[in-house]
Amino acid sequence: MRKIFTLLIILFTTISFSQTAKYNNLLKNNESFKEYISKNGDIIKVGDSLIIGKAMDPNGFRFISQGGGRMHQTHGGKQITISKIKSYGNEKSGFTIWIEFKGFGWIPVNVDYENALDAGEIINPKGKLTKEQAISKLKESKSLLDLEVITQEEYDKIKEELKKYIKQ
């Protein structure tokens, strides 16, 4: 009987922590997940690497916090590893996904994933480009063309590839 009880506990724990969260399909507050399917269809998992983008304003990041305050803008460009994926919110206001990673010091960092991704504060290097990221890349490519670093053919190829993200 004791072996069956232990087996059931292990099975329940494995099932409850191996869930996949999906954008707009979150039902509980403070629920942990191993992976998350974002609104653009990208999948992030605990252990994946992301890159901190640029802060929205001089006071720091709007959607990335450490110790209850905005994370400082000097952390932009750093690579981080996801340690937790959790849902927060309630039925009335809705639920959002927050990721956590080891902070700069003792305090972990929390990221409002969808908002940070949309704002360019977090970058998923394996994910699809956002419209803003595609426009930025196209502008950079145009500058390279103007500087004669790339050819017209190379620019046209890049432009064609980025159009699908910009026209979303």
Side-chain angles (χ1 to χ4, degrees):
M1 183 68 173
R2 187 177 245 174
K3 288 182 182 180
I4 292 173
F5 182 72
T6 304
L7 182 62
L8 286 174
I9 296 259
I10 292 170
L11 184 62
F12 176 76
T13 305
T14 303
I15 290 171
S16 66
F17 289 109
S18 63
Q19 297 174 353
T20 299
K22 294 180 184 176
Y23 177 77
N24 248 2
N25 195 21
L26 303 168
L27 305 172
K28 286 173 50 179
N29 184 42
N30 205 22
E31 190 170 8
S32 294
F33 301 96
K34 293 256 185 206
E35 65 180 17
Y36 171 64
I37 302 171
S38 68
K39 71 178 174 185
N40 68 3
D42 291 342
I43 298 174
I44 59 168
K45 299 177 182 179
V46 170
D48 282 355
S49 294
L50 301 173
I51 298 169
I52 299 171
K54 293 181 181 175
M56 293 288 293
D57 58 53
N59 295 325
F61 291 86
R62 288 186 186 172
F63 305 108
I64 305 176
S65 62
Q66 185 172 19
R70 291 179 175 199
M71 189 177 72
H72 196 269
Q73 62 188 3
T74 57
H75 294 297
K78 294 181 180 175
Q79 184 171 328
I80 57 98
T81 302
I82 300 171
S83 59
K84 291 182 184 176
I85 301 173
K86 296 187 106 179
S87 62
Y88 289 104
N90 57 53
E91 289 181 21
K92 187 176 181 180
S93 64
F95 297 97
T96 57
I97 282 293
W98 286 72
I99 62 168
E100 183 178 295
F101 63 90
K102 182 182 177 298
F104 309 102
W106 291 94
I107 303 169
V109 176
N110 294 294
V111 180
D112 178 349
Y113 183 73
E114 292 291 352
N115 286 320
L117 189 65
D118 286 345
E121 289 188 351
I122 202 83
I123 299 164
N124 181 352
K126 295 189 282 182
K128 297 174 188 164
L129 292 177
T130 65
K131 183 177 182 174
E132 291 76 18
Q133 290 169 329
I135 290 169
S136 177
K137 268 194 161 178
L138 186 59
K139 287 178 180 179
E140 179 182 328
S141 298
K142 177 66 171 141
S143 294
L144 292 174
L145 175 65
D146 293 343
L147 293 169
E148 298 179 355
V149 174
I150 63 173
T151 65
Q152 182 67 47
E153 293 80 27
E154 290 171 314
Y155 173 76
D156 291 341
K157 184 178 177 183
I158 293 167
K159 182 178 175 182
E160 195 59 38
E161 176 64 27
L162 295 174
K163 272 185 186 178
K164 63 185 174 190
Y165 300 106
I166 295 170
K167 290 187 173 185
Q168 291 179 4

